[in-house]
Amino acid sequence: MDLPKQYDPAAAYDRWSEAWAEAGTFDAVPDATGAKPPHAVMMPLPNVTGVLHLGHALNNTIQDVLTRWRRMQGYAALWQPGTDHAGIATQAVVERRMLEEEGLTRHDVGREALVNRIWAWKETSEARIVEQLKLLGASCDFRRQRFTLDEVCSKAVRETFFRLFKDGLIYRGKRLVNWDTYLQTAVADDEVYEEDVNGHFWTFEYPVVDADGTETGERLALSTTRPETMLGDTAVCVHPDDDRYKHLVGKTVRVPINGRVVPVIADGELADMEKGTGCVKVTPAHDPNDYACWERQRGTETEIDILNVMHPDGTMNAAGDVEEFIDLDRYKARDLLVEKVSELGLFKGVEDRVIPLKHSDRSKTPVEPYLSDQWFVRMGPAGTSPDGEKGDDFDLAGSAIDAVAEGRTEFFPPRYQQTYESWLGEKRDWCISRQLWWGHRIPVWRRRWTDDAVVTEEQIKTDTATFRTAGEEKQDTYEARFVEHPEGEGCSIFVCLRDDDAELLKALEADGFEQDPDVLDTWFSSALWPLETLGWPDLDRDPPKKNLKSGDEPPSPVTGTNADFDFYYPTAVLSTSRDIITLWVARMVVMGLYHADEVPFKHVYIHPKILDGFGQTMSKSKGNGVDPLDMVDRYGVDAVRFTMAGIAGDTQDVRLPVGYECPHCGEIIPQTLEHQKARPMGGEKPTIACPACGKESQFSSPWYTPDEGVPVARMVSERFEAGRNFGNKLFNAARFAIRNLEGYEPGPVDVTSLPLEDRWIVSRLAEVTASVTDSFEGYRFDDACRTLRDFVWNDFCDWYLELTKPRFRDDDACPEAQRVLVGVLDAIVRLLHPVMPFLTEELWHALAAVAPERGLPSPTAADETCAFAPWPAFPADWVAADDCARMERLQELIVAVRNVRATYKIAPSAPLNLSIACEESVAADITASAGTFEFLVKATLADVGPDVTRPPGSAGFTLPGVEGFVPLGDVIDVAAEKQRQEKEAKQLRGHIAGTEKRLANEKFVASAPPEVVQGAKDKLAELRQQLVSVEEILSDLG
RNA sequence: GGGCGAAUAGCUCAGUUGGUUAGAGCGCCACGUUUACACCGUGGAUGUCGGGGGUUCGAGUCCCUCUUCGCCCACCA
């Protein structure tokens, strides 16, 4: 097998991805014998909204490195892939495209048709994501691929909802949402943006009234930016310490517009004495702060009312109690209200004010805080939810805090534990309903009985089709909840179904029940990810697995156990981004503990974020995303992975500046913010101008696809060149090695009796192997990559390969040299396999062709694939500090000779002589390396030993314990040599002065550790001796 | 407002428990096609470790403070 001069990553990818898939190399199989311990990684499920970007590439590289590394260590490794339906984000994408391309809204097409369209989108998007994962070399078990809306996941969601509902941990409550009055939907916090608008700040007066409603003559002034909410005022609030108003607390005032009499309350959190008049109107249903105030007052003596005065379309409803306002748009109502209150003489003025107003990202219209009924999961202990459900004692948030505090789940780096704990510590109830069509429909059917005021729970149970059908035998399939309304307004019944039982559904329909139109928060299903992917709640059979060839996913036979769940849960590690520690990580822990009484993962690794060249996080809206496949295409998958892993340590986020390569002249044009923003205007695609050649071209952009057949400036990033160059370096080192392995015979190697360079490289290998293993264990991928790069490039290629070259031409030395060479290379290939799987698999097979049996200290038959090759580990006593020191001295000598050559511009081919003054013991070493000097620096060792003196007309160098001389005869430039030596002397004197100063300090000698003091003394002696040598040379030179 | 993090060479980043006069890659300069590799080799230049104070025999590293930047949470009648 003759390797080409350059590594071809695309060819390697095709060859090995296919071979691995064919062999089922990444199929995760639980090992019942106990020989292979479990190692499971659950992929943070990408959204099916679009394509993966570099952040995904980073995280997926990390997970793949972990998985492949553990697989080599002999674990039964599972990397679970899948995608998330991502409720609002996906629905928004599809709706937007529908609107842009066809001018249709979701109301035009209806619920079913919209959902079908989203499914179609999901299929394409998911396929693209899986394709990207594969092109990144992800060693997932794709037979197990799950989607959060598929049948298996839906079952887990239904089961979870049912159990929580039954345990009283799910309740119906009120919540202020961001309401888009144009699209008539709630909008998530991250889908609203703030924009300053020019508004007004009106001041009104509310008359104080006494118990029987007569005005006392006193008036309270207060200001607002939204006068129309006055219709919904249910209180007026002042600060408890405000002397101006203290006497009014507990009294009542009349709301000017509708005459409603409301209390004056004191709430220091709502009212601010410094702002406005210090007095504030309270409209709990239409303002977040007022709502919070309402919550605080609830259940106290000063409990206040809450009144929704608006229709979903933004017009006023009848609750405001003023006929003229009904059905009037909120902004018209605002003007009318000001007018009416003016007529009453209670309008006190208006000023202009710039108001930061929240807008819906989707309709670009202002959102209204809007009170709505929602489903909640109670996070704290019993009795903490607003309507005091009975519930059991389970404290969801508390259990998750405890688990981490006890160390059952550990964060890397540990500081992120705080984010997790402080968020969960608030124990804020989780609003799980969303007013969307794309997602898990809430499995609750409801009916309100208003027609029959006397109806009781008992009567309904006996009289309705629903409960007759349910009977005794369906106790476990549903849970009903009765809510009695006050004052003879009947009751509501909520029925939660565990499964869609056809009979019960029919009976519910007959009784006039309707299913809740809302869907569940996306995080509700992703919180179950580690459970549902392993087949939970079915614990009597394994989860189904897809036949990748046919695409079928037959149900697993019932065996009485779920081997996958038993074996892989809890999983080993979750690798994710810090911004979803709360949304996702915490909730998975909550659900894992609730359902399985065990944390879902033992470790959480939080990876760095990739920023663009301007320090911004990459995101779709900024347009600064980079498609990893552009990089894979250009630099190769191994290079991209090596660079990604090299970024991942435990602290820094990392900038990754990109540029565009001019298709005309090849010049790199750095990316600017303008490039990120450039979008097609009026169909015209933006172009980029090359400063070097002045030509224009279209360029890679997330906003558009460049035209066919025009020159395109493609995105490039020099960061990946480092990875590519390194891969090519290793590839060529292997090519060289294979060329020199002709006639290779396997055989054992006695490490202790090897030549110096072998003992050195083997020592370094043992050291590096231990270090890389340690780095992976601590999730310090950057350390591992740096260590491996330095070892391979600097030690193995620059020195070891060079040093051993002559031995391959020597029949006696060759066999042993071959064994060591192939043994070291074999270990390097294994060590790099988790990071650069395709390159190393390529080399693995190339090595197998010439050396099927290899390894240190005794050769063994190599595995079929590097993916299952055992992870290297070497005896600790292979690390030989003494040999390394001797090797380093040799290296320094060689560098010094090269330096002389460079200084005097002596051609590499011109032979030199070399004299070295040193102790006998060192001289023996140097004499033994005479061949090396000949070979590496074309220098003949003329003389070596304690008595050597500087030959006339020679350049010199001094090292600790060694003086070297290179006679140059006529070539010597005395002035230049003096200058060189002066510089050296100056440096030495600086060092000496510094060290002397330290040692002269009595406190240093007294308080520093003895080894540090001794180290300084030794160093000083060495430096002085070197200086003496340099000074001798100088005086010699005159 | 609360919390977390960052600031080291032109750029991107390392720098273990404090211990020589601080490192790497890229870029830059000079030389070089020596039979693995020009995606290369050899040699070289490049720093007030953001500012100020403190602790210590000794600070890039620990403490305080200021400045700038990033992220999360809360808030903005």
Side-chain angles (χ1 to χ4, degrees):
Chain A
M1 180 157 186
D2 201 27
L3 296 172
K5 208 167 168 182
Q6 274 190 3
Y7 171 54
D8 179 354
Y13 173 83
D14 289 342
R15 187 155 37 236
W16 304 117
S17 59
E18 199 171 305
W20 290 328
E22 195 62 34
T25 306
F26 309 134
D27 291 357
V29 182
D31 181 62
T33 66
K36 289 180 163 225
H39 188 273
V41 174
M42 297 291 171
M43 178 186 292
L45 47 190
N47 294 346
V48 289
T49 41
V51 296
L52 304 185
H53 54 69
L54 277 183
H56 294 103
L58 172 68
N59 195 14
N60 287 319
T61 298
I62 288 163
Q63 293 170 78
D64 197 48
V65 168
L66 287 167
T67 303
R68 287 180 186 268
W69 167 57
R70 291 298 193 187
R71 194 178 285 127
M72 291 173 78
Q73 281 191 327
Y75 286 77
L78 160 64
W79 185 17
Q80 169 70 48
T83 50
D84 188 15
H85 68 281
I88 195 157
T90 313
Q91 183 171 327
V93 168
V94 174
E95 279 191 66
R96 195 182 59 232
R97 290 168 62 96
M98 201 166 73
L99 190 65
E100 280 169 6
E101 288 163 16
E102 302 166 64
L104 296 172
T105 72
R106 73 187 146 114
H107 299 289
D108 296 327
V109 300
R111 184 163 189 150
E112 203 186 328
L114 181 78
V115 169
N116 285 341
R117 279 169 181 260
I118 305 175
W119 271 107
W121 162 268
K122 171 259 173 188
E123 294 300 338
T124 9
S125 179
E126 185 182 60
R128 167 91 174 135
I129 289 168
V130 169
E131 180 67 10
Q132 283 183 304
L133 283 174
K134 288 183 175 167
L135 285 164
L136 284 166
S139 69
C140 301
D141 184 349
F142 283 104
R143 301 172 310 153
R144 295 169 181 264
Q145 189 183 328
R146 292 258 73 87
F147 175 57
T148 52
L149 271 181
D150 68 19
E151 263 181 58
V152 172
C153 295
S154 295
K155 182 164 188 186
V157 165
R158 287 289 286 268
E159 181 68 17
T160 300
F161 192 96
F162 179 76
R163 289 193 191 182
L164 289 167
F165 189 88
K166 191 164 179 162
D167 280 345
L169 291 169
I170 282 183
Y171 68 90
R172 188 99 172 129
K174 300 269 182 201
R175 183 188 182 94
L176 273 192
V177 296
N178 303 307
W179 189 262
D180 183 327
T181 58
Y182 180 77
L183 294 172
Q184 297 195 31
T185 178
V187 197
D189 282 344
D190 56 4
E191 287 237 321
V192 299
Y193 63 96
E194 259 181 22
E195 200 171 274
D196 285 342
V197 299
N198 294 318
H200 305 282
F201 195 56
W202 288 272
T203 303
F204 303 108
E205 285 185 333
Y206 287 25
V208 179
V209 297
D210 61 22
D212 54 18
T214 43
E215 297 189 10
T216 64
E218 203 172 354
R219 288 177 177 181
L220 264 182
L222 45 79
S223 308
T224 180
T225 56
R226 293 188 300 150
E228 71 281 6
T229 61
M230 188 190 287
L231 291 161
D233 282 355
T234 56
V236 168
C237 178
V238 299
H239 196 279
D241 301 334
D242 197 331
D243 291 333
R244 291 171 296 180
Y245 304 118
K246 258 183 182 166
H247 64 288
L248 292 173
V249 174
K251 300 270 179 17
T252 49
V253 296
R254 189 191 311 280
V255 178
I257 191 68
N258 53 14
R260 185 182 301 126
V261 173
V262 301
V264 178
I265 60 168
D267 184 333
E269 280 187 63
L270 181 62
D272 184 339
M273 292 191 276
E274 310 298 319
K275 283 186 182 169
T277 62
C279 176
V280 57
K281 63 198 236 11
V282 186
T283 322
H286 296 279
D287 183 277
N289 298 303
D290 297 0
Y291 182 74
C293 170
W294 172 80
E295 279 196 319
R296 282 191 295 273
Q297 303 294 331
R298 193 179 46 193
T300 69
E301 281 179 20
T302 51
E303 178 163 328
I304 57 178
D305 291 337
I306 184 162
L307 202 59
N308 181 357
V309 293
M310 209 178 280
H311 288 127
D313 64 357
T315 62
M316 310 310 289
N317 67 21
D321 259 352
V322 186
E323 191 67 35
E324 304 167 73
F325 284 86
I326 297 173
D327 294 338
L328 198 61
D329 177 80
R330 64 195 193 279
Y331 293 119
K332 292 199 174 114
R334 178 174 297 179
D335 297 338
L336 182 64
L337 189 133
V338 174
E339 196 186 312
K340 291 282 170 192
V341 177
S342 297
E343 286 168 13
L344 296 170
L346 295 170
F347 167 64
K348 284 296 152 193
V350 60
E351 55 187 82
D352 293 336
R353 177 172 285 206
V354 175
I355 301 162
L357 193 62
K358 283 181 177 171
H359 288 68
S360 163
D361 198 35
R362 295 160 64 195
S363 68
K364 313 292 177 199
T365 59
V367 296
E368 286 293 322
Y370 190 77
L371 192 68
S372 58
D373 290 311
Q374 306 287 343
W375 290 102
F376 289 84
V377 171
R378 193 193 78 203
M379 297 304 285
T384 55
S385 64
D387 51 356
E389 290 292 339
K390 37 190 185 292
D392 68 359
D393 291 337
F394 205 87
D395 176 358
L396 289 172
S399 69
I401 293 170
D402 293 346
V404 168
E406 288 161 13
R408 289 159 73 190
T409 290
E410 204 179 336
F411 280 84
F412 293 82
R415 72 185 113 97
Y416 290 110
Q417 185 177 333
Q418 199 190 328
T419 309
Y420 168 94
E421 279 176 352
S422 60
W423 186 79
L424 273 176
E426 291 178 27
K427 301 198 173 182
R428 249 185 308 169
D429 289 346
W430 175 14
C431 178
I432 51 169
S433 44
R434 294 294 127 96
Q435 291 67 50
L436 293 172
W437 291 350
W438 174 243
H440 294 279
R441 186 104 176 240
I442 289 179
V444 173
W445 283 254
R446 82 184 288 194
R447 177 179 165 182
R448 192 176 163 131
W449 258 267
T450 49
D451 47 338
D452 186 355
V454 295
V455 78
T456 65
E457 185 173 332
E458 212 41 51
Q459 277 176 300
I460 292 170
K461 276 204 162 171
T462 46
D463 293 356
T464 60
T466 301
F467 291 94
R468 276 203 307 276
T469 307
E472 283 292 318
E473 71 275 17
K474 291 198 173 166
Q475 289 282 317
D476 282 346
T477 65
Y478 77 100
E479 175 76 8
R481 186 168 308 160
F482 295 80
V483 182
E484 288 207 43
H485 299 301
E487 294 159 20
E489 285 180 36
C491 64
S492 289
I493 296 140
F494 294 93
V495 173
C496 175
L497 291 192
R498 194 173 201 158
D499 284 310
D500 280 347
D501 180 297
E503 274 183 54
L504 269 179
L505 276 173
K506 211 173 140 198
L508 283 166
E509 203 180 310
D511 281 330
F513 278 82
E514 278 180 11
Q515 187 174 5
D516 194 300
D518 292 353
V519 299
L520 286 164
D521 179 14
T522 301
W523 299 106
F524 193 90
S525 51
S526 34
L528 302 170
W529 191 238
L531 295 163
E532 61 199 2
T533 48
L534 292 172
W536 184 93
D538 288 334
L539 298 180
D540 59 353
R541 76 200 81 165
D542 291 348
K545 294 174 192 74
K546 193 181 283 179
N547 180 325
L548 292 176
K549 289 207 175 106
S550 67
D552 299 338
E553 190 177 283
S556 298
V558 175
T559 57
T561 55
N562 178 336
D564 283 309
F565 187 81
D566 293 346
F567 187 72
Y568 286 117
Y569 193 92
T571 66
V573 52
L574 174 78
S575 169
T576 191
S577 161
R578 73 174 99 92
D579 41 21
I580 51 176
I581 291 173
T582 54
L583 295 172
W584 190 47
V585 178
R587 283 165 180 164
M588 279 194 284
V589 178
V590 163
M591 287 303 181
L593 291 165
Y594 176 65
H595 285 312
D597 201 27
E598 185 50 270
V599 293
F601 25 73
K602 290 167 200 153
H603 290 171
V604 178
Y605 170 65
I606 303 294
H607 64 70
K609 297 192 84 133
I610 296 186
L611 312 176
D612 68 8
F614 309 96
Q616 314 174 96
T617 52
M618 289 190 177
S619 78
K620 280 201 196 82
S621 56
K622 286 190 194 118
N624 59 358
V626 175
D627 186 340
L629 295 194
D630 286 352
M631 298 298 128
V632 167
D633 195 42
R634 186 182 177 92
Y635 303 101
V637 57
D638 299 287
V640 170
R641 293 168 59 107
F642 184 81
T643 304
M644 287 292 153
I647 279 170
D650 66 8
T651 44
Q652 281 273 160
D653 292 347
V654 76
R655 287 184 191 217
L656 208 136
V658 296
Y660 303 91
E661 185 189 42
C662 175
H664 306 287
C665 68
E667 194 73 14
I668 305 299
I669 311 158
Q671 189 187 46
T672 65
L673 292 168
E674 281 63 44
H675 297 141
Q676 292 182 2
K677 285 187 206 127
R679 302 193 200 202
M681 298 296 275
E684 188 91 1
K685 287 176 183 170
T687 56
I688 191 168
C690 174
C693 68
K695 289 183 182 151
E696 301 268 337
S697 46
Q698 292 188 14
F699 59 100
S700 311
S701 163
W703 301 120
Y704 61 89
T705 313
D707 295 332
E708 290 281 333
V710 304
V712 173
R714 295 202 312 159
M715 215 178 264
V716 295
S717 172
E718 70 174 26
R719 295 297 299 274
F720 296 105
E721 284 176 25
R724 180 198 58 187
N725 295 356
F726 175 56
N728 198 53
K729 184 75 182 175
L730 174 61
F731 183 80
N732 274 288
R735 188 161 84 109
F736 165 79
I738 287 163
R739 220 178 254 194
N740 282 293
L741 283 172
E742 201 175 315
Y744 166 79
E745 294 284 347
V749 167
D750 176 12
V751 169
T752 53
S753 67
L754 291 170
L756 178 62
E757 66 266 22
D758 283 358
R759 291 202 305 283
W760 167 72
I761 199 71
V762 162
S763 168
R764 288 284 299 128
L765 174 64
E767 215 168 29
V768 161
T769 301
S771 161
V772 168
T773 307
D774 188 58
S775 296
F776 281 166
E777 270 163 11
Y779 305 101
R780 294 184 310 273
F781 305 95
D782 54 343
D783 275 354
C785 289
R786 238 192 327 274
T787 303
L788 282 167
R789 186 200 180 277
D790 289 351
F791 176 63
V792 171
W793 203 310
N794 303 340
D795 295 341
F796 185 68
C797 292
D798 288 351
W799 287 104
Y800 184 70
L801 292 185
E802 295 302 329
L803 287 165
T804 50
K805 276 178 182 174
R807 285 162 65 196
F808 296 107
R809 288 169 217 157
D810 175 343
D811 288 345
D812 292 336
C814 184
E816 189 174 65
Q818 287 179 329
R819 288 170 198 161
V820 177
L821 174 64
V822 78
V824 174
L825 184 58
D826 172 82
I828 287 171
V829 167
R830 293 178 203 231
L831 288 168
L832 276 165
H833 185 257
V835 181
M836 308 181 103
F838 297 96
L839 168 64
T840 49
E841 185 79 335
E842 187 89 346
L843 296 180
W844 186 260
H845 290 268
L847 276 180
V850 290
E853 286 177 43
R854 57 185 186 268
L856 294 171
S858 302
T860 51
D863 295 71
E864 260 316 287
T865 163
C866 193
F868 286 125
W871 185 250
F874 298 103
D877 62 12
W878 280 19
V879 179
D882 187 49
D883 291 334
C884 288
R886 290 165 64 201
M887 185 66 209
E888 274 161 33
R889 188 170 55 217
L890 186 59
Q891 290 174 339
E892 282 170 16
L893 277 167
I894 287 165
V895 169
V897 176
R898 282 175 179 160
N899 199 321
V900 168
R901 235 183 233 288
T903 311
Y904 288 98
K905 303 204 191 311
I906 303 168
S909 49
L912 294 175
N913 279 324
L914 176 63
S915 297
I916 292 172
C918 61
E919 282 177 24
E920 285 293 357
S921 59
V922 178
D925 244 14
I926 292 173
T927 309
S929 305
T932 300
F933 290 103
E934 288 282 359
F935 183 71
L936 285 188
V937 284
K938 283 244 161 45
T940 306
L941 195 57
D943 207 2
V944 58
D947 305 326
V948 171
T949 52
R950 178 175 179 270
S954 59
F957 53 85
T958 55
L959 297 168
V962 176
E963 282 179 77
F965 307 102
V966 181
L968 296 174
D970 297 341
V971 187
I972 184 98
D973 175 339
V974 177
E977 180 65 9
K978 271 177 85 170
Q979 199 181 6
R980 208 165 75 92
Q981 297 295 344
E982 282 290 6
K983 188 182 150 196
E984 179 75 17
K986 194 181 160 200
Q987 248 173 17
L988 284 167
R989 285 190 201 104
H991 276 277
I992 289 167
T995 316
E996 278 173 342
K997 197 177 147 200
R998 280 204 307 151
L999 282 166
N1001 185 334
E1002 280 174 34
K1003 285 185 177 170
F1004 168 69
V1005 180
S1007 37
E1011 65 272 20
V1012 172
V1013 178
Q1014 192 54 50
K1017 284 180 181 165
D1018 294 348
K1019 191 74 207 175
L1020 184 60
E1022 196 179 282
L1023 289 165
R1024 279 175 171 159
Q1025 184 255 318
Q1026 281 191 52
L1027 183 61
V1028 169
S1029 306
V1030 173
E1031 279 170 342
E1032 270 173 21
I1033 292 172
L1034 276 166
S1035 79
D1036 242 23
L1037 289 164

